[in-house]
Amino acid sequence: MKNYTITVNGTVYDVTVEEGGAGSAPVRAAAPKAAPKAAPAAAAPAAPAAGAGSIEVKASVPGKVFKVEAAAGQAVKAGDAIVILEAMKMEIPVVAPQDGTVASINVSVGDAIENGDVLATMN
């Protein structure tokens, strides 16, 4: 038998695989155990300023900020690109959810972001 520790979506599993002959090998998985805590990010984005807008524009995928299309104070229409993300070698626009004015841009080109991170705020 061989023992392996496998992490799936942040959950750690201890797996035992029985070595067998020509047939398939049965697999036994133990109950998940707590994953080790990740080290805090070195440069966590700062919280938006008190004057930030009430509408949050969030990332839909993890990736890197490829380009910032809008600036604070700029009027945008629903569907206008605010930030362009690079994920899996694709450029993915993050668009304004509605008409308004960009209150703050919370990221810079090259920043690594996660799904759900607030990239900008609008009024």
Side-chain angles (χ1 to χ4, degrees):
M1 284 202 256
K2 289 190 176 186
N3 294 319
Y4 298 95
T5 301
I6 300 172
T7 304
V8 178
N9 293 334
T11 304
V12 178
Y13 296 91
D14 287 324
V15 179
T16 302
V17 178
E18 291 182 12
E19 295 182 55
S24 61
V27 176
R28 290 187 212 133
K33 59 183 180 180
K37 295 285 183 185
S54 58
I55 302 163
E56 294 181 334
V57 180
K58 296 182 178 185
S60 58
V61 295
K64 278 191 174 183
V65 177
F66 180 71
K67 186 176 183 182
V68 178
E69 292 279 325
Q74 180 178 341
V76 292
K77 300 270 186 201
D80 286 353
I82 296 177
V83 175
I84 306 291
L85 301 178
E86 180 181 23
M88 298 183 295
K89 298 186 180 186
M90 295 186 298
E91 294 177 14
I92 302 168
V94 178
V95 298
Q98 65 187 47
D99 294 356
T101 304
V102 177
S104 68
I105 300 290
N106 302 344
V107 294
S108 300
V109 172
D111 287 354
I113 54 98
E114 295 296 326
N115 188 22
D117 284 356
V118 177
L119 305 177
T121 59
M122 295 176 55
N123 290 323

